[in-house]
Amino acid sequence: MAKIVHRHSKQYANGQWRPACAAFLLLSICILLTGCRGRDSAGDAITIILDPGANSFAVDQQLAREFERETGHAVRLLKAPASSTERLSQYLQYLGAESPDVDVYQVDVIWPATLENHLADLSESFTTETAAFLPALIANNTINGKLLAIPWYVDVPLLYYRDDLLRKYGFQEPPATWDELTTMAAAVQRGERMAGQAALWGFVWQGMAYEGLTCNALEWQVSEGGGRIVAEEGAIEVNTPGARRAFTRAAGWVGSISPPGVTTYAEEECRQMFQSGNAVFMRNWPYAYSLVNGNESPVAGKVRTASLPAGSAGRAAVLGGWQLAVSRYSKNPAAATELVRYMTSRHGQKQEALGASRLPTRLALYDDPDIASEFPFIPTMRHTLDNAVARPSKVVGVDYNEVSTYYYQAVHEILTGQNSADEALSNLDALLRKVLDQ
Ligand code: GLC
């Protein structure tokens, strides 16, 4: 790795300065010092803003300390809000104000177009190296020829289930379809409650009105052949029979196999409930694996994972994941770029996989024996990644956040019974037409 070291010569001439010369030298030193302050001098601190998750933040800290030792640049780590939706508003405040306070941002896979004008183009710093990454992510992060972010870890959902409980009720395999999941969840929930487990629920998922609901709802919708919100050619696909069927079924889960509060749950609420032993099934991302099967988990050893169940049109898994990007307003762009290189390196990604069950974006790590032995599910995810469904962030560009907000709000109205699927989806269709000028 290129180290950034600046040496300031202290060997002055032998004391025979003339006043003009001295003045010139003084001025030069001033310029040099002003230029260096907050520029790329070794020792300048770089600030990176990251996911607040407990185990991943510890891995991030460890990588940052290694980077400090190697380069002499201090790294300050800030915790971003857990919710992707809140995080985007916070980032937009910093970036909108052209703040130099944060150098490196952890960026959601759906944001490169939205943040285009605020992020540095890294294509000259990462050239042939990009061939080592999942090509779909490099393509996703390239906007108008600019490589705006380097893929750090990728997300696809898993169905987590309590293997012990399924077996207890005679189910040898996880559910293959959403209908089977509904039946199994209801059977286990009924049986366990009769046995005194009053707090047990069948299925938890991300039902709060935020970006996570967009992911869940899109999976339900695509698995019913109900379209992709906005198709690649730009057609709006929300008011469809498949989407109505999918959302009506999910609304039926609320209060039956899923707690009424599920419409306020994000990833961590689900994980905590599942980990405390109060849920049979959970939809969540890979990060939860290391926690629910970790030393401190009451359900460790009882949990297995599977693909999400299929609807009438098959299975669907939404593509998520996070990248690292350098702010255009950074005063230390070269050092910030080196930090991105370090965190997204093979070593950095391997540590993230081993310590926080994050899926690598570097293809070679899917054949890594240490990762396979710590988390055997990780190598098996390659296939799911290749077939994952992208949200329409590339298609609608800067309008994505507005499109997604209208979408999850409409689905949330259906889930909470505030609106019928028919009405919510026809309103949504009209709103999206306005946003997209159709
Ligand atoms: C995960 C995904 C991200 C998604 C978010 C929604 O963090 O990686 O892409 O937007 O969940 O909650």
Side-chain angles (χ1 to χ4, degrees), residues 84 108-110 155 210-212 215 267 285 319-322 391:
S84 180
D108 200 334
V109 71
I110 49 184
D155 268 334
Y210 80 124
E211 185 61 31
C215 299
E267 285 82 1
W285 307 104
L319 181 74
W322 294 84
R391 283 161 279 174

